[in-house]
Amino acid sequence: MYPVYYDSAPRRDFISVMVSKEPPEPPSKRRQSCRRMWNRLSRLQRTIICAILVVGAMSGLYIANGLMNELPDDKDTLSQRHQVFPNDNVVHVMDQRHPGKDTEANQRRDSNNDKDGEDQKLHFEQVNEEKKTKVQIKDGADAGGDVQVPVPNMEGGMAAQTAQQKAVVEAFKHAWKGYKQYAWGHDELKPISKAASDWFGLGLTIVDSLDTMWIMGLMEEFEEARRWVEKDLVLKKNVDVNLFETTIRVLGGLLSAFHLSNDGLFLEKARELGDRLMPCFNSPSKIPYSDVNLDTGKAHPPRWGPDSTTSEVTSIQLEFRELSHQTGNDKYKKAVDEVMDHIQSLPKENGLIPIFVNARSGQFRAGATITVGARGDSYYEYLLKQWLQTGKSEDKLRDEYVAAIEGMQKNLVRSTAANGLKFIGELVRGSFSPKMDHLVCFLPGTLAIGHHNGLDPSHLELAKELAKTCYQMYADMPTGLSPEIAYFNIQNPGKPDIEVKNADTHNLLRPETVESLFYLYRLTGDQQYRDWGWKIFQAFEKYTKVPGGGYSSIGSVKDTKNPRFRDKMESFFLGETLKYLFLLFSDDPNLLSLDKYVFNTEAHPLPIWRP
Ligand code: DMJ
């Protein structure tokens, strides 16, 4: 068969194919002499010439390919970001007997994906190099110049999502769908009445969810939320807000979104919010008032009593310090550091603090309850995390934390009579009460991070024991969901370990237990923590999911027939609970590495400063 010739006739489009044993015309003289020369060559000479031609052709292709790669890429930023999170490309086949544990096939697939991950990481860094030059925040009055915004430290997240992570992402989408449809722009969704509820009117669910969407790779949702923040998040608002809640959810959410996306809009909003919250610190003692009007700047104690809550005034430090770090303006850090200095100067019982402190006198309320639950909890969490935030440079904070954990070991840790479950009780007017809030279940995670950073091995041991108890608070209930408060039986070995009073049977979709399971899995690699987390997730799916969109807190974890929807989806379900579940099921220890990030008490990751 001889070559194909294309007819060049101007008006007729056809291809003429000649099939013949003879050539259509005789070869030219020049071609004949080439052939004679070729025939005269030895076999070796012919082989060498062929080799040279092949090498030449390959080099040509290589150079052409390099030139092509130099050409500019015209994809838009959003689709570039999508390349960073190729969620839907790889489906893991999970070993059902050990959910979360990959089969060999998955491991092989993962090792191939590692390479893709590297390419995507490079691409991501390029994108952010470009963005870095665009995002500059001016702090005219105080910082006196441009503050260079760092490239976001979003390492990890390039690995394919596991099947369990995908299930959590679906849950997030379901929650978001309900919120978007019935409560968009409001603080929270009422999923049963398909309506909205407002607390501060700051779109809490949107801001609390920003970083969750980012790490889950839900970039369309993120962009939509970002547009809302840009156009509709109005901070000059005639509303009284709680300093602590606004700081951990909104300020923390904005700062974290800024770090992940490197989008200066979030830092601008964070700074405006920080400024509007600052009047809280204008108290005689420098212990902040609990509330402030965002428009008038009028700050005051809570409506229900004279005192500020101790955990509230001591759990705003990570966020305000980070705001100073990013804006170059020291005033935010100074305000919250003064609070810590003052609290550190007050007398304590074995490092443990009462739950109320007065903003005028600066004194603890005499006889107030000592608890690691409501109103006490995150004081202990932030002692450790502030120490970590500044690269373990403030030993005083670490020492306070260690003293407090020793105080807990001595005064608050007890075991149940039947099965020896360890729990943390409370001191009420000096007497021990075997009551533990679900809120206390953040503690195993905090203890595990402390141990990871060099603190005593007994901290990890206690963490494991308490995590087991927290899980038991779920497993013992007919719905598989924990009550808000449990009482532990320390006297009668014939009675169950856990008792729940009728007033305490509700579940608010809280994150603390899955938070601790995430830390413990990340730091020990023990599959058990994932298995427990998966069971909890399935119970949320079964008893709190509302058809059509959203999840609802429930009234009774004891009643499988009628768990009684309370018609409220707390913003922390999207900001914390689903985020920690997503992280728990991640195979990638670099996804928000615990050596690079510290999570605020609302699960918003903030970078650890380099010393
Ligand atoms: C969240 O707002 C925070 O985790 C806070 O520290 C405690 N309460 C809720 C979640 O339960």
Side-chain angles (χ1 to χ4, degrees):
M1 184 162 135
Y2 280 88
V4 174
Y5 293 92
Y6 295 92
D7 192 295
S8 58
R11 273 180 224 102
R12 295 161 74 196
D13 294 332
F14 64 88
I15 297 169
S16 159
V17 180
M18 305 283 295
V19 181
S20 162
K21 288 193 174 170
E22 297 302 323
E25 57 187 69
S28 68
K29 281 187 178 168
R30 198 164 162 208
R31 278 161 74 187
Q32 279 177 346
S33 77
C34 280
R35 183 174 289 174
R36 266 200 302 276
M37 279 168 67
W38 178 254
N39 288 340
R40 270 191 230 122
L41 296 174
S42 71
R43 184 174 287 176
L44 178 66
Q45 286 169 319
R46 284 186 208 165
T47 311
I48 292 169
I49 290 170
C50 283
I52 291 169
L53 286 175
V54 169
V55 170
M58 283 172 68
S59 313
L61 277 173
Y62 181 77
I63 290 164
N65 190 32
L67 285 174
M68 291 299 285
N69 286 343
E70 295 283 299
L71 293 175
D73 186 355
D74 62 357
K75 287 188 189 96
D76 63 32
T77 319
L78 189 57
S79 59
Q80 284 171 333
R81 283 196 223 150
H82 269 297
Q83 286 187 314
V84 183
F85 301 100
N87 307 330
D88 299 317
N89 297 346
V90 181
V91 178
H92 281 226
V93 182
M94 308 302 294
D95 180 341
Q96 289 306 318
R97 282 159 305 149
H98 302 285
K101 183 177 161 212
D102 273 357
T103 58
E104 256 180 54
N106 280 334
Q107 282 163 5
R108 272 200 303 280
R109 205 177 287 128
D110 283 350
S111 68
N112 291 336
N113 286 332
D114 283 346
K115 195 176 153 293
D116 293 349
E118 274 307 303
D119 292 343
Q120 284 150 4
K121 188 169 152 193
L122 277 176
H123 185 79
F124 184 67
E125 279 163 3
Q126 277 167 13
V127 171
N128 285 306
E129 266 309 309
E130 282 167 24
K131 284 164 74 190
K132 187 168 84 170
T133 56
K134 288 183 210 153
V135 184
Q136 289 201 333
I137 301 294
K138 255 213 161 92
D139 197 330
D142 301 292
D146 287 348
V147 177
Q148 190 67 44
V149 177
V151 176
N153 304 311
M154 183 67 187
E155 286 180 25
M158 284 48 141
Q161 290 177 357
T162 64
Q164 288 172 311
Q165 279 182 296
K166 281 172 186 274
V168 177
V169 173
E170 287 310 311
F172 182 93
K173 284 185 184 166
H174 184 80
W176 189 250
K177 182 177 167 224
Y179 173 75
K180 200 176 146 183
Q181 198 167 348
Y182 303 113
W184 184 252
H186 294 276
D187 283 341
E188 281 162 341
L189 168 69
K190 287 158 74 82
I192 303 299
S193 45
K194 302 199 184 313
S197 73
D198 277 306
W199 186 8
F200 308 137
L202 295 175
L204 286 186
T205 298
I206 296 181
V207 185
D208 230 359
S209 301
L210 284 165
D211 52 11
T212 308
M213 293 187 277
W214 182 275
I215 66 167
M216 286 182 174
L218 297 173
M219 302 317 291
E220 273 172 35
E221 289 85 348
F222 180 86
E223 287 296 329
E224 198 175 15
R226 185 222 180 263
R227 277 195 297 277
W228 184 87
V229 171
E230 184 177 30
K231 293 209 189 92
D232 299 314
L233 178 54
V234 178
L235 296 167
K236 183 175 164 31
K237 202 174 197 133
N238 186 12
V239 62
D240 280 15
V241 300
N242 172 279
L243 169 67
F244 163 74
E245 296 289 357
T246 309
T247 298
I248 64 169
R249 297 183 198 221
V250 187
L251 186 55
L254 290 169
L255 287 170
S256 173
F258 165 66
H259 276 290
L260 298 179
S261 67
N262 209 17
D263 185 335
L265 165 74
F266 297 119
L267 184 54
E268 264 307 336
K269 289 283 181 187
R271 185 169 51 173
E272 187 190 343
L273 179 59
D275 286 339
R276 292 185 181 282
L277 294 174
M278 283 298 278
C280 280
F281 298 95
N282 295 333
S283 74
S285 70
K286 302 290 182 215
I287 293 290
Y289 292 115
S290 64
D291 295 82
V292 63
N293 184 293
L294 285 182
D295 184 24
T296 64
K298 191 170 173 341
H300 56 83
R303 301 274 178 227
W304 43 263
D307 299 325
S308 297
T309 294
T310 312
S311 70
E312 291 193 358
V313 302
T314 53
S315 309
I316 48 178
Q317 279 65 18
L318 292 176
E319 299 82 355
F320 275 80
R321 283 151 54 116
E322 179 59 19
L323 187 57
S324 278
H325 199 62
Q326 289 306 329
T327 59
N329 187 332
D330 207 34
K331 69 180 178 187
Y332 313 105
K333 181 175 187 300
K334 208 165 152 280
V336 292
D337 282 353
E338 268 178 5
V339 179
M340 287 315 290
D341 289 344
H342 179 84
I343 294 283
Q344 282 181 320
S345 73
L346 297 179
K348 304 184 190 68
E349 206 170 314
N350 295 317
L352 305 173
I353 42 101
I355 57 176
F356 291 114
V357 59
N358 191 282
R360 292 204 175 86
S361 69
Q363 298 303 306
F364 287 133
R365 188 194 291 180
T369 297
I370 287 179
T371 174
V372 186
R375 303 187 188 281
D377 49 4
S378 43
Y379 161 72
Y380 304 102
E381 179 187 353
Y382 270 38
L383 283 177
L384 180 80
K385 289 183 174 177
Q386 287 175 82
W387 176 59
L388 297 179
Q389 180 183 39
T390 51
K392 303 185 212 172
S393 60
E394 298 156 298
D395 290 351
K396 249 168 65 178
L397 290 162
R398 179 204 55 202
D399 296 345
E400 288 273 325
Y401 173 76
V402 170
I405 301 302
E406 280 169 14
M408 288 179 207
Q409 303 255 31
K410 192 168 158 212
N411 297 314
L412 304 181
V413 176
R414 298 277 192 287
S415 299
T416 58
N419 294 301
L421 284 183
K422 276 197 176 158
F423 68 96
I424 307 249
E426 300 182 343
L427 293 178
V428 183
R429 274 172 251 100
S431 303
F432 181 81
S433 162
K435 162 183 177 269
M436 181 165 118
D437 296 344
H438 181 272
L439 287 167
V440 176
C441 291
F442 81 92
L443 188 63
T446 301
L447 287 166
I449 317 171
H451 173 259
H452 177 67
N453 284 282
L455 302 186
D456 198 80
S458 66
H459 290 205
L460 183 60
E461 286 319 305
L462 181 59
K464 289 178 181 175
E465 293 287 341
L466 292 175
K468 193 162 87 187
T469 304
C470 288
Y471 173 64
Q472 219 50 53
M473 285 167 65
Y474 287 73
D476 273 12
M477 299 300 126
T479 56
L481 290 171
S482 169
E484 176 72 357
I485 298 169
Y487 286 82
F488 289 84
N489 176 12
I490 48 176
Q491 273 160 358
N492 189 342
K495 280 194 163 176
D497 290 314
I498 299 173
E499 277 170 32
V500 184
K501 300 198 171 165
N502 285 343
D504 306 328
T505 57
H506 48 295
N507 180 296
L508 305 184
L509 313 172
R510 287 197 191 276
E512 290 77 18
T513 296
V514 294
E515 167 183 355
S516 284
L517 296 179
F518 155 62
Y519 284 117
L520 278 160
Y521 178 76
R522 202 38 101 77
L523 298 173
T524 67
D526 187 337
Q527 176 64 29
Q528 169 187 255
Y529 299 117
R530 271 188 167 181
D531 294 346
W532 290 349
W534 185 241
K535 289 215 169 90
I536 292 172
F537 174 67
Q538 285 175 313
F540 278 130
E541 286 290 288
K542 189 162 176 191
Y543 291 106
T544 70
K545 190 171 189 169
V546 178
Y551 290 75
S552 172
S553 50
I554 56 171
S556 175
V557 294
K558 287 172 153 181
D559 191 344
T560 52
K561 295 255 158 42
N562 182 17
R564 297 204 311 273
F565 285 129
R566 288 166 58 113
D567 199 13
K568 190 169 170 66
M569 183 172 80
E570 299 273 357
S571 73
F572 54 65
F573 182 63
L574 294 86
E576 295 193 71
T577 310
L578 293 177
K579 183 189 285 141
Y580 282 129
L581 282 164
F582 180 82
L583 292 171
L584 167 65
F585 300 130
S586 168
D587 285 338
D588 183 357
N590 291 318
L591 176 58
L592 300 177
S593 159
L594 296 180
D595 295 318
K596 296 191 174 153
Y597 286 92
V598 66
F599 288 76
N600 86 340
T601 192
E602 188 77 6
H604 297 304
L606 299 172
I608 290 174
W609 306 350
R610 291 193 199 106

